Amino acid sequence: MNILVTGASSGFGNLMVADLIKAGHRVAGTVRDPRGRNKEAAQILRNLGVEVVDIDVTDDASVEAGVAAAEATLGQIDVLVNNAGAGAHGLQENFSGDDFQRVFDVNVFGVQRMIRAVLPKMRARQSGLILNVTSLLGRVTVPFLGPYNAAKWAVEALSENYRWELSQFGVDVAVIEPGGFPTNFFNNLIQPSSRDRDASYGEFAGAPEAMLQSMGESLSNNPLQVPQIVSDAVLEVIHTAPGQRQFRNEVDKSGMADPVIPMNVQAEKATEVLFTAYGMEGMMKLKTNVANAA
């Protein structure tokens, strides 16, 4: 298959593209400014066999041009993996509207931009897979990660809507829900542009830093919580036949997924009841065809 992965230069994305290449897929990976500040990372990807495309998911024109370049190289895009994302950390009250805009521009609006760019041709072919990397923090919240929690909850909802609206066009949608992992995610968290509310919080203003340190230590000390299992989950979904893929796929060895899994099962049952009541149950089943089966 021909697969486009956003945020390919580091973290989960870097593992994904390497594993997809090994599995025999043709892969395009997005990198911001691959001829400048990310030149070295882009070359490493090329050495793996990845087609590097320059995409800034926060920019409409960049997304349109980058997707067109990927299509020109690959021929068509069978799978889009929306992996690019940005974390945020701090007292939620400290984050301004512009701060929230910055977080959502990458994590939510960037996902929408990418999906809109690839969907017309997928719908025309009546085949394709949209795979969004969300988070278990899109199902439950952890304090001091407020804007990130909100963004990932939004992507979960966005993904559900696309699942229903695209099911009759043969385009499949699924989400990967990782827990916390010891990656460079913790080194690139968006901070509030101002901490002017700290004083009124007193000693509690130091709680975000304490939480982050504790979480980082816990994840680093867990030998099972390795980023590779996220890439493995992505490949498993991609290699599952259309119409048989699980919508929500929890990936975690820290115990965080344990309470979320039954929530996800119940959400699926509740949706089935609701859709049946309104005569929309057919939208829960992907319409597969010859193109899908191939």
Side-chain angles (χ1 to χ4, degrees):
M1 283 188 277
N2 300 326
I3 302 171
L4 175 59
V5 180
T6 66
S9 62
S10 63
F12 296 147
N14 199 246
L15 289 171
M16 290 174 200
V17 294
D19 289 345
L20 288 166
I21 289 288
K22 290 177 186 176
H25 300 287
R26 297 184 66 203
V27 181
T30 77
V31 177
R32 287 182 297 174
D33 193 16
R35 298 177 184 82
R37 61 191 173 110
N38 290 316
K39 182 177 180 180
E40 183 176 348
Q43 189 56 51
I44 291 172
L45 290 174
R46 293 190 185 97
N47 292 343
L48 291 173
V50 178
E51 299 290 342
V52 174
V53 290
D54 186 354
I55 289 182
D56 177 355
V57 299
T58 69
D59 181 88
D60 288 345
S62 176
V63 168
E64 292 293 338
V67 168
E71 289 173 338
T73 300
L74 300 179
Q76 68 180 40
I77 296 172
D78 300 307
V79 180
L80 168 65
V81 181
N82 277 309
N83 166 72
H89 172 253
L91 290 172
Q92 184 163 266
E93 189 178 347
N94 273 331
F95 286 93
S96 67
D98 287 342
D99 293 334
F100 265 82
Q101 175 76 34
R102 184 181 172 197
V103 175
F104 270 63
D105 211 10
V106 176
N107 293 308
V108 184
F109 309 145
V111 170
Q112 172 69 351
R113 291 184 182 99
M114 291 300 302
I115 292 175
R116 290 189 77 243
V118 304
L119 265 187
K121 292 183 179 178
M122 285 186 175
R123 282 191 292 99
R125 292 195 310 269
Q126 299 232 336
S127 69
L129 168 63
I130 304 294
L131 184 54
N132 296 330
V133 179
T134 62
S135 173
L136 290 175
L137 294 179
R139 304 298 282 160
V140 293
T141 59
V142 172
F144 316 126
L145 300 171
Y148 181 75
N149 282 321
K152 289 303 184 179
W153 279 66
V155 177
E156 287 276 337
L158 180 148
S159 301
E160 283 207 45
N161 274 285
Y162 270 126
R163 178 189 181 188
W164 314 134
E165 293 178 9
L166 298 175
S167 64
Q168 303 309 292
F169 294 91
V171 179
D172 211 352
V173 179
V175 297
I176 299 290
E177 296 176 341
F181 284 83
T183 68
N184 59 356
F185 174 87
F186 288 97
N187 300 324
N188 299 294
L189 295 170
I190 294 174
Q191 302 290 329
S193 55
S194 171
R195 298 185 61 170
D196 60 331
R197 308 298 171 92
D198 276 7
S200 60
Y201 274 80
E203 292 184 2
F204 191 71
E209 284 73 17
M211 182 279 290
L212 193 64
Q213 181 178 350
S214 176
M215 179 183 288
E217 291 174 354
S218 175
L219 294 173
S220 296
N221 292 330
N222 184 344
L224 300 178
Q225 194 75 346
V226 293
Q228 181 61 46
I229 65 175
V230 177
S231 180
D232 293 343
V234 167
L235 265 70
E236 183 176 355
V237 173
I238 290 173
H239 292 161
T240 299
Q244 298 179 25
R245 295 182 176 111
Q246 182 171 295
F247 174 60
R248 286 192 166 94
N249 301 271
E250 309 87 356
V251 188
D252 177 72
K253 298 293 183 180
S254 72
M256 187 177 179
D258 295 344
V260 173
I261 292 172
M263 287 174 53
N264 286 344
V265 171
Q266 187 58 39
E268 190 77 4
K269 291 178 179 178
T271 300
E272 184 174 358
V273 170
L274 178 65
F275 277 37
T276 300
Y278 291 131
M280 301 187 299
E281 62 270 26
M283 295 175 71
M284 295 191 70
K285 183 176 176 59
L286 181 72
K287 182 179 179 181
T288 57
N289 53 30
V290 176
N292 287 117

